[in-house]
């Protein structure tokens, strides 16, 4: 962002006038001139066909949520409550202008067909721009040799794998196979890191004893299961020199393991989410099945873990703050397939958060003095774009960037309620929280899509974002003597 200079007679499509513009690195008083959907000028006294008065407001890059589940089936086949319309509308109301949902392969699925199906749905319904990640549950020859390289070629440069769940998890050998493709063709491997054996062994014993309430979900997903899996995935990544990003990190131990790996030069990135900053296992401990509303994997922990997550975000150990929006209704279609009799093993895992991710961090991070406004932008937008290959098209307010902008009223008071949010779950885990600061006007590629509490966006206006090879996904290029014995290891890297 350059220093603003007075500019006259330069008529833009739209000017945001008199606000405080903040990016991940700078804060300044400037008008923002927008032409053809892009930021065309930052300056003083810009003129435009339409002018939005932003005096007293913060003008921030729209949020990028790089971890959301939309129109996805859980590993048990339970459908998400949100489709690409409701999910993106909810995102927009919360100041998020780009999402990155998963195209999820289940064991029996052909990956190319999975991708085609998600692409068609998003194209028809999304109101904001989107990139895709893949979930790989069946790394057979077709997936590895044909479908993954083809998807990477289409700009889908990240895929997630699971170390737990009977129907999703990969063996260490399969993980190494997927890592080898990611490394060779230029993609970032995202990892759900929990030890399957610990969780399933404990859960089996609990169910046998009749301990089936939601609180046992948190008990079975031990801190040690996250710590062990993080340690193992980092070890595997070092074996094949493959950069990784560990999603939804929740524990003191996990964060410390990542910190140590980063300190010895391993390329490991990490993410945490609102549920690990603002909820604890106590929220799950409610009568009957009510705690299901707060059950996600890994589960929220305790105050010490919350503090470690804040610290990790502050010192950069944790790279991004995403919602992991995994929306399920609190009824038989979602969380409670067997009504009041549903055991913690049968509930879909996940909480909604696509809309409140930014407002929660604004209130309890920025307004509470834990983070600066520039750190707020970094954690909610810029780092997502940098990590996943969208920067500077997205993630900043600079000449040439897409005009994806949220205008925040930093003093607006909002009480969270299920009626405030626009997703399809019918509840929010943050009911009753008092927030200060709200994105009152939201622009996507220069179009005002939310204003005065109303949506002004056509279904299907969102565009697919092919992504470039970002710096984080490039291997270190280490000499690894054992690997040098493999003929495939010596093929040139693509990006
Ligand atoms: N992992 C996620 O990332 N989201 C929902 C459930 C899960 O296990
Ligand atoms: Zn996960
Ligand atoms: Zn998720």
């Amino acid at each position: 962002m350059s220093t603003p200079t007075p500019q006259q007679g330069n008529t833009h499509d739209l000017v945001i006038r008199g606000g405080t513009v903040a990016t991940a690195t700078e804060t300044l008083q400037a008008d923002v001139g927008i032409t053809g959907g892009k930021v065309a000028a930052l300056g003083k006294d810009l003129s435009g066909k339409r002018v939005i008065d932003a005096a007293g407001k913060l003008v921030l890059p729209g949020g990028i949520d790089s971890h959301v589940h939309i129109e996805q089936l859980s590993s048990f086949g339970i459908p998400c409550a949100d489709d690409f319309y409701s999910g993106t509308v909810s995102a927009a109301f919360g100041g998020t202008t780009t999402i990155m949902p998963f195209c999820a392969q289940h064991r029996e699925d052909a990956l190319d067909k999975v991708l085609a199906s998600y692409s068609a749905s998003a194209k028809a319904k999304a109101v904001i721009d989107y990139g895709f990640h893949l979930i790989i549950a069946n790394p057979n020859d077709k997936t590895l040799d044909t479908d993954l390289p083809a998807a990477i070629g289409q700009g889908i440069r990240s895929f997630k794998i699971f170390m737990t769940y009977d129907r999703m998890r990969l063996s260490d050998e399969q993980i190494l196979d997927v890592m080898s493709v990611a490394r060779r063709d230029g993609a970032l491997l995202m990892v759900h890191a929990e030890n399957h054996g610990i969780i399933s062994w404990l859960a089996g014993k609990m169910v046998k004893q009749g301990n089936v309430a939601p609180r046992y979900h948190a008990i079975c997903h031990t801190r040690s299961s996250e710590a062990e899996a993080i340690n193992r995935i980092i070890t595997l990544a070092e074996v094949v020199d493959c950069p990784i990003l560990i999603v939804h990190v929740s524990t003191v131990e996990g964060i410390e393991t990542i910190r140590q790996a980063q300190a010895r030069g391993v390329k490991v990135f990490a993410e945490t989410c609102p549920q690990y900053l603002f909820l604890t296992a106590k929220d799950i401990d409610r009568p009957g099945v009510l705690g299901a509303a707060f059950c996600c994997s890994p589960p929220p922990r305790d105050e010490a873990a919350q503090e470690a997550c804040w610290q990790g975000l502050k010192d950069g150990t944790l790279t991004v703050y995403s919602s992991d929006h995994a929306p399920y209704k609190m009824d038989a279609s979602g969380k409670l397939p067997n009504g009041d009799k549903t055991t913690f093993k049968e509930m879909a895992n996940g909480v909604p958060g696509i809309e409140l991710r930014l407002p929660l961090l604004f209130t309890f991070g920025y307004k509470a003095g834990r983070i600066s406004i520039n750190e707020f932008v970094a954690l909610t937008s810029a780092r997502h774009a940098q990590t996943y290959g969208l920067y500077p098209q997205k993630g900043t307010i600079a000449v040439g960037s897409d005009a994806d902008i949220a205008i925040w009223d930093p003093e607006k008071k909002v009480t969270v309620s299920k009626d405030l949010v626009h997703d399809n779950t019918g509840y929010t885990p943050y009911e009753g929280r008092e927030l200060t600061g709200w994105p009152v006007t939201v622009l996507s590629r220069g179009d005002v899509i939310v204003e005065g509490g109303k949506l002004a966006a056509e279904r299907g206006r969102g565009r697919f974002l092919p992504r470039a090879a970002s710096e984080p996904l490039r291997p270190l290029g280490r000499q690894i003597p054992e690997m040098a014995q493999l003929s495939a290891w010596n093929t040139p890297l693509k990006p």
Side-chain angles (χ1 to χ4, degrees):
M1 196 162 59
S2 53
T3 313
T5 48
Q7 289 184 22
Q8 253 105 41
N10 189 6
T11 298
H12 297 285
D13 296 343
L14 173 65
V15 166
I16 301 170
R17 182 171 291 159
T20 302
V21 179
T23 67
T25 50
E26 286 180 272
T27 308
L28 80 167
Q29 295 298 314
D31 299 345
V32 181
I34 296 166
T35 297
K38 303 251 178 214
V39 176
L42 288 154
K44 289 240 159 46
D45 304 323
L46 300 183
S47 64
K49 293 175 197 133
R50 180 178 172 196
V51 173
I52 296 176
D53 178 11
K57 309 276 195 318
L58 285 166
V59 179
L60 308 181
I64 300 174
D65 196 342
S66 58
H67 186 157
V68 298
H69 302 271
I70 308 281
E71 279 192 57
Q72 193 187 315
L73 294 180
S74 78
S75 63
F76 287 98
I78 301 174
C80 282
D82 281 314
D83 67 5
F84 278 96
Y85 184 71
S86 62
T88 54
V89 167
S90 185
F93 273 104
T96 286
T97 50
T98 299
I99 57 163
M100 300 186 58
F102 293 88
C103 305
Q105 179 191 47
H106 295 268
R107 290 252 161 91
E108 60 285 3
D109 296 338
L111 192 57
D112 54 344
K113 300 223 165 47
V114 171
L115 177 53
S117 151
Y118 279 88
S119 298
S121 279
K123 191 170 192 286
K125 300 179 205 165
V127 304
I128 57 173
D129 293 351
Y130 54 93
F132 284 127
H133 315 288
L134 306 173
I135 286 175
I136 310 298
N138 186 357
N140 59 15
D141 288 350
K142 178 173 170 340
T143 299
L144 293 172
D145 300 339
T146 307
D147 294 344
L148 273 181
I152 294 170
Q154 292 166 43
I156 300 168
R157 289 192 174 268
S158 40
F159 19 97
K160 180 177 175 189
I161 54 116
F162 287 81
M163 299 174 81
T164 185
Y165 296 132
D166 284 325
R167 297 178 218 194
M168 300 299 282
R169 73 193 171 110
L170 304 190
S171 66
D172 289 355
E173 291 87 343
Q174 289 175 314
I175 293 173
L176 289 165
D177 274 341
V178 177
M179 283 181 167
S180 300
V181 174
R183 176 187 184 278
R184 184 195 66 202
D185 288 0
L188 188 59
L189 190 72
M190 305 163 75
V191 185
H192 179 126
E194 288 188 287
N195 176 297
H196 183 72
I198 295 173
I199 298 166
S200 66
W201 184 82
L202 268 174
K205 304 271 178 221
M206 291 297 173
V207 171
K208 240 187 194 156
Q209 280 177 214
N211 295 346
V212 295
R215 64 189 289 260
Y216 292 101
H217 168 79
I219 290 170
C220 293
H221 287 248
T222 63
R223 290 154 46 178
S224 57
S225 81
E226 180 174 285
E228 185 282 330
I230 287 180
N231 191 45
R232 178 155 43 96
I233 199 72
I234 289 171
T235 305
L236 297 179
E238 284 186 272
V239 168
V240 288
D241 184 28
C242 176
I244 54 170
L245 185 143
I246 302 171
V247 294
H248 47 53
V249 178
S250 67
T251 57
V252 176
E253 297 82 355
I255 293 169
E256 191 46 38
T257 305
I258 293 165
R259 189 175 283 121
Q260 286 169 14
Q262 290 170 342
R264 65 175 187 274
V266 185
K267 254 182 141 175
V268 48
F269 303 89
E271 170 200 87
T272 196
C273 314
Q275 47 272 36
Y276 308 116
L277 296 178
F278 307 119
L279 301 175
T280 68
K282 285 190 206 128
D283 289 297
I284 305 180
D285 194 1
R286 291 180 190 228
V289 289
L290 290 178
F294 303 86
C295 277
C296 50
S297 290
R301 310 280 178 182
D302 58 14
E303 286 76 11
Q306 289 182 331
E307 207 42 51
C309 289
W310 281 109
Q311 189 50 42
L313 290 173
K314 273 297 277 185
D315 68 20
T317 308
L318 301 175
T319 323
V320 286
Y321 163 78
S322 315
S323 70
D324 192 2
H325 180 72
Y328 300 99
K329 288 182 198 274
M330 280 290 286
D331 64 18
S333 73
K335 290 265 185 191
L336 305 173
N338 296 315
D340 290 353
K341 302 271 173 305
T342 306
T343 70
F344 73 92
K345 283 304 287 171
E346 296 158 331
M347 292 168 338
N349 286 320
V351 290
I354 202 167
E355 188 162 340
L356 294 175
R357 176 181 71 114
L358 269 66
L360 285 164
L361 193 70
F362 194 91
T363 295
F364 299 112
Y366 169 57
K367 294 294 275 188
R370 278 182 175 269
I371 57 173
S372 69
I373 195 64
N374 310 100
E375 288 171 318
F376 174 82
V377 172
L379 292 171
T380 56
S381 183
R383 292 235 197 102
H384 300 257
Q386 289 156 349
T387 303
Y388 290 106
L390 290 172
Y391 197 85
Q393 179 188 355
K394 306 287 189 189
T396 191
I397 299 176
V399 171
S401 297
D402 285 357
D404 287 7
I405 293 173
I407 304 174
W408 286 74
D409 178 345
E411 304 306 331
K412 189 174 161 106
K413 303 271 184 211
V414 171
T415 304
V416 173
S417 87
K418 66 179 171 38
D419 301 324
L420 173 82
V421 287
H422 297 79
D423 68 58
N424 269 344
T425 59
Y427 80 96
T428 165
Y430 308 103
E431 187 74 36
R433 307 263 177 145
E434 303 285 347
L435 304 181
T436 304
W438 194 261
V440 286
T441 305
V442 180
L443 284 73
S444 162
R445 280 182 278 103
D447 295 341
V448 176
I449 58 168
V450 173
E451 190 173 35
K454 299 230 159 17
L455 182 75
E458 292 288 308
R459 183 184 280 266
R461 69 167 293 289
R463 289 186 194 155
F464 169 66
L465 298 165
R467 292 180 284 120
S470 58
E471 206 293 315
L473 60 76
R474 291 182 208 284
L476 289 168
R478 283 192 170 147
Q479 293 306 316
I480 306 172
E482 298 85 349
M483 298 304 294
Q485 305 298 313
L486 301 178
S487 53
W489 186 253
N490 300 313
T491 52
L493 304 178
K494 288 207 182 126

